[in-house]
Amino acid sequence: MKKLPFIASIAAAFILFSLAGYAQQTAKITNLLELEEGQYFADRDSAYLDPYYGLKKLIYGNRRFAENKSIKPRQTDADLKNNELGQKPFATIIGCADSRVPNEIIFDQGVGDLFITRTAGQVMAEASYGTIEYSSEVLNTKLIVVLGHESCGAVQAAMQLPENPPGHVVTLINAIKPASLVAKRANVGEEESLNLAIRQNVLEQVNLLRGLEPVLSRSFEKGNLLIVGAVYNLSTGEVEFLEETVTSLPKFAQNQEPAKAEK
């Protein structure tokens, strides 16, 4: 399993998070996913069948939300009470439990669209893995998004490394600690360091899932399942998908130019 270029991404991430707001998507992602300027809609059925199209649906839905054009689909009383056909979510979101990041709202999706698991710092353990595998194997959801967010308290706690964290909070800190150490080695300001740790935490969690045996790793390698990372900006309402997690998807990775060897 090829790991994402965590350390190499530090310089680019520093530039990204030093900006006043996040660019919603990079030019490379826009080109690879064939995102259309001024487009706000993608068909739901196609999103369920094609995870690359599902990515577009999430991006367009977030575009509606960020620009105050939400349509709040499939959220009527009838939708909420209709359980006859079961569920067929087109994406699984692994998000932080932070109450400021309501997944259906920021992606402007409705009942039955998203399968969601949330913990502080989107830290995962056995129960999370089983939940995610259930969505993939039983619900046939082909897209997984690890969603971090600006000003994440769990990541901030890991950066501060308190001596006596209460109860099981230490498990969260230990899980995020590797990302915090990478950010600290970047030797930048406090705010930039936190933002780098948030991004790094998402990248490491994406890589963890891509290598998780036996279900997720094999589905990802075959191209049957997409696993990507993103960061939500509380200030702008925009979700920025992390370029390195999109360009390394099976459909796109084979078309990337090989890195030049250092002299």
Side-chain angles (χ1 to χ4, degrees):
M1 170 62 62
K2 182 180 179 181
K3 291 189 175 183
L4 297 171
F6 294 150
I7 303 299
S9 69
I10 288 296
F14 172 71
I15 295 173
L16 172 70
F17 284 101
S18 295
L19 300 176
Y22 304 173
Q24 190 174 28
Q25 309 306 330
T26 66
K28 183 169 285 187
I29 288 179
T30 298
N31 291 333
L32 288 175
L33 295 178
E34 299 180 345
L35 301 175
E36 300 176 49
E37 185 176 354
Q39 178 60 267
Y40 295 90
F41 299 97
D43 178 67
R44 190 202 184 286
D45 290 338
S46 297
Y48 180 77
L49 295 173
D50 182 353
Y52 289 93
Y53 196 83
L55 268 175
K56 295 174 68 170
K57 185 167 181 62
L58 290 178
I59 290 171
Y60 289 154
N62 176 247
R63 184 181 290 176
R64 294 195 300 269
F65 169 74
E67 297 182 14
N68 294 316
K69 296 179 180 179
S70 296
I71 61 172
K72 301 179 181 179
R74 293 168 294 283
Q75 295 182 22
T76 67
D77 287 345
D79 291 318
L80 289 166
K81 297 173 183 177
N82 181 13
N83 298 311
E84 296 178 0
L85 300 178
Q87 60 171 324
K88 293 179 64 176
F90 72 88
T92 295
I93 309 295
I94 302 162
C96 181
D98 193 299
S99 59
R100 298 168 294 177
V101 193
N103 295 179
E104 285 93 349
I105 294 177
I106 66 174
F107 286 114
D108 197 26
Q109 301 302 316
V111 175
D113 291 334
L114 305 179
F115 192 79
I116 299 169
T117 176
R118 298 174 67 178
T119 60
Q122 63 276 350
V123 169
M124 291 171 279
E126 281 74 10
S128 301
Y129 302 148
T131 300
I132 299 164
E133 290 173 345
Y134 174 83
S135 72
S136 174
E137 293 295 289
V138 179
L139 302 180
N140 199 32
T141 303
K142 301 179 179 69
L143 171 61
I144 295 174
V145 178
V146 178
L147 180 64
H149 68 92
E150 175 194 23
S151 303
C152 181
V155 176
Q156 189 170 29
M159 292 291 291
Q160 296 171 348
L161 291 178
E163 291 186 5
N164 297 301
H168 294 286
V169 171
V170 67
T171 62
L172 302 176
I173 293 174
N174 286 338
I176 302 172
K177 185 177 178 180
S180 72
L181 293 177
V182 170
K184 287 180 179 180
R185 287 198 293 270
N187 195 27
V188 294
E190 183 177 342
E191 183 177 356
E192 290 84 357
S193 184
L194 174 59
N195 286 329
L196 284 175
I198 290 168
R199 177 190 180 95
Q200 186 69 23
N201 188 43
V202 171
L203 290 173
E204 296 203 11
Q205 290 166 339
V206 167
N207 197 69
L208 182 155
L209 292 179
R210 288 183 176 183
L212 189 64
E213 293 288 352
V215 176
L216 301 186
S217 62
R218 299 178 189 183
S219 293
F220 179 78
E221 289 289 350
K222 293 177 181 178
N224 297 328
L225 175 69
L226 305 190
I227 305 174
V228 299
V231 175
Y232 174 62
N233 188 322
L234 297 173
S235 304
T236 67
E238 294 181 347
V239 173
E240 181 232 352
F241 283 85
L242 302 186
E243 183 176 289
E244 51 267 72
T245 70
V246 175
T247 57
S248 57
L249 291 174
K251 183 177 179 180
F252 302 137
Q254 59 187 358
N255 298 322
Q256 301 299 310
E257 294 182 2
K260 294 181 180 179
E262 294 184 4
K263 294 182 180 180

